[in-house]
Amino acid sequence: MNFNLTILGTGSAIPSFGRFSSAQVLHTHEKSFLIDCADGTQFQLRKYNVKTNRMNHWFISHLHGDHCFGLISVISTLGMLHHTGDIFVHAHPDLHPVLQAQLNYFCKDLPFQVHFEGFNPLKNTVIYEDRSLSVSTIPLVHSMPTCGFLFKEKEGQPHLNRELLDFYKVGIEDIKHLKEGADFTTEDGIVVPNSRFVTPPTPPKSYAYCSDTAYTERIVPIIEGVDVLFHESTFGESEAFRTKETLHSTAKQAATIAQLAQVKQLIIGHYSARYATLDHLLQEAQSVFPNTLLSYDGMKHEW
Amino acid sequence: MNFNLTILGTGSAIPSFGRFSSAQVLHTHEKSFLIDCADGTQFQLRKYNVKTNRMNHWFISHLHGDHCFGLISVISTLGMLHHTGDIFVHAHPDLHPVLQAQLNYFCKDLPFQVHFEGFNPLKNTVIYEDRSLSVSTIPLVHSMPTCGFLFKEKEGQPHLNRELLDFYKVGIEDIKHLKEGADFTTEDGIVVPNSRFVTPPTPPKSYAYCSDTAYTERIVPIIEGVDVLFHESTFGESEAFRTKETLHSTAKQAATIAQLAQVKQLIIGHYSARYATLDHLLQEAQSVFPNTLLSYDGMKHEW
């Protein structure tokens, strides 16, 4: 299945130059996943025509306001829009009491339940799984417990050559054996090799979201070879000295991680409020990892 | 002094057609007042270059999310921007525990204090006063305790003719008497009438903000003769039947209130999410009260 990403906000903590703070939606063919939810996310969702009817699992990287202050508004608005299906907010357990207090006062008559699924952001573990994909945490290095998220499609079934199955009149039991790798033997005793019937499954898609974090190579084994890596790039080289104090990354550091992990494509974002233009960030990243894209609010990217 | 209004959001509960929800800032020559604070207000404040350095008193009409969900983000961002001066949030007392819980978790190191000033929205009373203006509540009719706010400049000092004071060498004691209405008598015993020295003060400015409310003539005596009335106009005539259930107003009802209260100018806003264009709302209001303006996000209006 294809992954289809909509990036709703590319700014960092303080909105500037028309950039909202962190929020993204990853669509697969049957579900949508909200990743972080800054103030104003409900507005961005509507502005960019994001379908929210199957957006039931939400993942919050950490509890800084620019990654979660929009939750109550999105929930409240979905309530007014008669959203169906419960919502599962996957976040650090500290979110529960604060958001619950808001829900109790402001959202008394929601047409759905809001469930809190707490996890430890500092442990690399699977926190969500359905029949087609899994989501696991990517422990990051920031000023509070923070993680990224790895969305990984499950290995699909091998493709079967339907015409050949018909030609040899292969039965259900034999099809099962073919899928397991066996050859097929006709009634006349002729052995037809497995490879004539079966071609490997489409490689599973993957997406790694890493924000906010200082440069850390510890994430490399977790995100190795992903199709698309979003890595925060708050600063350019001229402000590299700020990364130690703020525990953020430069565009060049993001690109270094992309290169070390041999990902297929890098998207940078979470830009400091000081940058009116961003070309230098792209150039600095591309000098290390050429296949880098500069994200912008409303960007849609499919793979 | 002049009043200078910036309207940050003109939508109602659900953002649509690029309209944010309710938030406004009223600037006087020395202070700024935030009126309601929907999700995304911090973004709008920056987009429209609103000065926030003297914005210390905030007034919340009622505790529906589209009027207060942006508070935590604005407070958090002002903290990061090193805002100085304490913030006083004037609102229904129920806001205090919910917002305080957020502040305790997300805003531990603010460079200012946040004070809660509770009031009863259903009682018409002065809730703020400084040397140049007062703010009083305008009880409204909505699905929860709700009020508007009347900003009223205090009566100024009469204007003195400086040249004439110099010409007659009027002393400080006599200037005081002139201000009180006395005539001036020269050393030669000539009586110069008070009206030659003194002209009446500039009429005090006023602004009434009324959102959200069903049609209610009970507000007319409170807002009588104001310079500018903002009155919510959620619906057009074709949806007038919805006002009873939702306790909102039509543009025509807003105009009727403006006419009954003999205000100088009406601004309508708080538009239903169903309207892509708003011309019909303006026409319907102007058919009753010609001096009506259609508000838009980012509108600045001075008087």
Side-chain angles (χ1 to χ4, degrees):
Chain A
M1 64 186 179
N2 277 10
F3 277 16
N4 202 320
L5 181 69
T6 303
I7 296 182
L8 299 169
T10 57
S12 49
I14 297 170
S16 62
F17 304 109
R19 290 175 216 130
F20 277 72
S21 298
S22 296
Q24 307 190 349
V25 179
L26 181 70
H27 304 276
T28 65
H29 73 286
E30 54 178 15
K31 288 180 180 167
S32 302
F33 301 93
L34 179 64
I35 309 167
D36 281 343
C37 186
D39 175 66
T41 296
Q42 61 149 347
F43 182 83
Q44 297 292 80
L45 285 167
R46 289 179 69 84
K47 181 172 178 184
Y48 298 114
N49 293 313
V50 175
K51 284 187 185 159
T52 53
N53 53 338
R54 286 178 178 181
M55 193 177 81
N56 296 318
H57 285 269
W58 305 3
F59 298 89
I60 305 299
S61 66
H62 65 299
L63 303 185
H64 277 154
D66 59 321
H67 293 254
C68 65
F69 278 166
L71 283 167
I72 184 68
S73 299
V74 180
I75 292 170
S76 171
T77 298
L78 288 184
M80 287 185 277
L81 293 171
H82 312 294
H83 175 91
T84 53
D86 287 0
I87 286 169
F88 297 81
V89 182
H90 303 258
H92 188 286
D94 282 356
L95 180 67
H96 191 167
V98 187
L99 187 55
Q100 189 65 57
Q102 292 176 274
L103 290 170
N104 292 347
Y105 189 82
F106 293 111
C107 301
K108 288 188 186 82
D109 302 309
L110 288 175
F112 49 80
Q113 298 267 317
V114 179
H115 305 273
F116 288 86
E117 304 280 331
F119 62 80
N120 177 358
L122 301 182
K123 206 177 140 199
N124 169 224
T125 180
V126 174
I127 55 170
Y128 169 84
E129 202 167 3
D130 62 26
R131 63 188 181 83
S132 58
L133 63 69
S134 69
V135 182
S136 50
T137 47
I138 308 167
L140 299 173
V141 177
H142 197 45
S143 52
M144 62 154 50
T146 301
C147 68
F149 300 107
L150 173 65
F151 293 79
K152 208 167 181 177
E153 187 184 8
K154 289 184 176 172
E155 192 83 33
Q157 293 289 323
H159 298 287
L160 291 169
N161 185 330
R162 290 278 155 201
E163 282 178 19
L164 214 61
L165 291 177
D166 289 345
F167 178 82
Y168 285 107
K169 296 188 175 61
V170 184
I172 291 174
E173 200 59 25
D174 282 327
I175 290 179
K176 203 178 139 198
H177 295 152
L178 279 171
K179 282 184 183 171
E180 289 162 1
D183 294 330
F184 175 69
T185 308
T186 66
E187 284 179 1
D188 309 332
I190 301 167
V191 175
V192 188
N194 183 279
S195 61
R196 285 203 55 204
F197 290 96
V198 175
T199 48
T202 315
K205 302 291 169 71
S206 55
Y207 176 55
Y209 170 84
C210 295
S211 184
D212 301 359
T213 189
Y215 179 83
T216 171
E217 294 180 7
R218 273 183 290 160
I219 69 176
V220 170
I222 304 172
I223 64 172
E224 203 145 27
V226 296
D227 295 325
V228 176
L229 164 66
F230 177 94
H231 194 293
E232 74 123 295
S233 302
T234 307
F235 298 112
E237 285 305 290
S238 52
E239 273 79 35
F241 67 95
R242 295 190 185 277
T243 57
K244 290 224 166 109
E245 175 203 345
T246 61
L247 298 170
H248 284 296
S249 300
T250 64
K252 206 168 178 177
Q253 288 175 330
T256 305
I257 293 295
Q259 191 194 36
L260 289 173
Q262 297 183 62
V263 308
K264 297 198 182 71
Q265 188 161 49
L266 169 66
I267 301 178
I268 58 173
H270 196 272
Y271 312 119
S272 163
R274 58 171 56 68
Y275 301 132
T277 60
L278 303 163
D279 295 343
H280 63 298
L281 297 185
L282 182 62
Q283 283 161 17
E284 287 163 13
Q286 286 182 334
S287 73
V288 175
F289 189 82
N291 193 7
T292 301
L293 298 176
L294 200 60
S295 66
Y296 53 87
D297 287 22
M299 177 181 186
K300 288 181 192 277
H301 189 62
E302 188 171 359
W303 66 97
Chain B
M1 65 184 179
N2 277 9
F3 276 17
N4 203 320
L5 181 69
T6 302
I7 296 182
L8 299 170
T10 58
S12 49
I14 298 170
S16 62
F17 303 110
R19 291 175 214 130
F20 277 73
S21 298
S22 298
Q24 307 191 348
V25 180
L26 182 69
H27 304 276
T28 65
H29 73 285
E30 55 180 13
K31 288 179 180 167
S32 302
F33 302 93
L34 179 63
I35 308 167
D36 280 342
C37 186
D39 174 67
T41 296
Q42 61 149 347
F43 182 84
Q44 297 291 82
L45 285 167
R46 288 178 70 85
K47 180 172 179 185
Y48 297 115
N49 294 312
V50 175
K51 285 188 182 156
T52 52
N53 53 338
R54 286 180 179 179
M55 192 176 81
N56 296 319
H57 285 268
W58 304 4
F59 298 90
I60 304 300
S61 66
H62 65 299
L63 303 186
H64 277 155
D66 59 320
H67 293 254
C68 65
F69 278 166
L71 283 167
I72 185 67
S73 298
V74 180
I75 292 170
S76 171
T77 298
L78 288 184
M80 287 184 278
L81 294 171
H82 312 294
H83 175 91
T84 53
D86 286 0
I87 286 169
F88 297 81
V89 182
H90 303 259
H92 188 286
D94 282 357
L95 180 67
H96 191 166
V98 187
L99 187 55
Q100 189 66 56
Q102 293 176 273
L103 291 170
N104 292 347
Y105 189 81
F106 293 110
C107 302
K108 288 191 186 80
D109 301 310
L110 289 175
F112 49 79
Q113 297 269 315
V114 179
H115 305 274
F116 289 85
E117 303 280 332
F119 61 78
N120 178 359
L122 301 181
K123 207 177 139 200
N124 168 225
T125 180
V126 174
I127 55 171
Y128 170 83
E129 202 168 2
D130 62 26
R131 62 188 180 83
S132 59
L133 65 68
S134 69
V135 181
S136 50
T137 49
I138 309 167
L140 299 174
V141 176
H142 197 44
S143 53
M144 63 155 46
T146 300
C147 67
F149 300 108
L150 174 64
F151 293 80
K152 209 167 180 175
E153 187 184 9
K154 290 185 176 171
E155 191 82 34
Q157 292 288 322
H159 298 290
L160 291 170
N161 184 329
R162 289 278 156 202
E163 281 181 19
L164 214 62
L165 292 177
D166 290 346
F167 179 82
Y168 284 108
K169 298 187 171 63
V170 184
I172 290 172
E173 200 61 24
D174 282 325
I175 288 178
K176 202 176 138 199
H177 295 152
L178 278 171
K179 282 183 182 172
E180 289 162 358
D183 295 330
F184 175 70
T185 307
T186 65
E187 284 180 1
D188 308 332
I190 299 165
V191 176
V192 188
N194 182 279
S195 63
R196 285 203 58 204
F197 290 96
V198 175
T199 47
T202 314
K205 300 292 169 70
S206 55
Y207 175 56
Y209 170 84
C210 295
S211 184
D212 301 0
T213 189
Y215 180 81
T216 171
E217 295 182 4
R218 272 183 290 161
I219 68 176
V220 170
I222 303 172
I223 63 173
E224 202 145 27
V226 295
D227 296 326
V228 176
L229 165 65
F230 177 94
H231 193 293
E232 72 125 291
S233 301
T234 307
F235 298 112
E237 283 306 289
S238 52
E239 273 78 35
F241 68 95
R242 294 190 185 277
T243 57
K244 288 223 166 111
E245 177 204 341
T246 60
L247 298 171
H248 284 296
S249 301
T250 64
K252 205 167 178 177
Q253 287 175 330
T256 305
I257 293 295
Q259 191 194 36
L260 288 172
Q262 297 184 60
V263 308
K264 298 200 183 71
Q265 190 162 49
L266 170 66
I267 300 178
I268 59 173
H270 197 271
Y271 312 119
S272 163
R274 57 173 54 70
Y275 302 132
T277 59
L278 303 163
D279 295 343
H280 63 299
L281 297 185
L282 181 62
Q283 283 160 17
E284 287 164 12
Q286 286 182 332
S287 72
V288 174
F289 190 81
N291 194 7
T292 301
L293 298 176
L294 201 61
S295 66
Y296 53 88
D297 287 22
M299 177 181 186
K300 288 182 191 274
H301 188 62
E302 188 171 2
W303 66 96

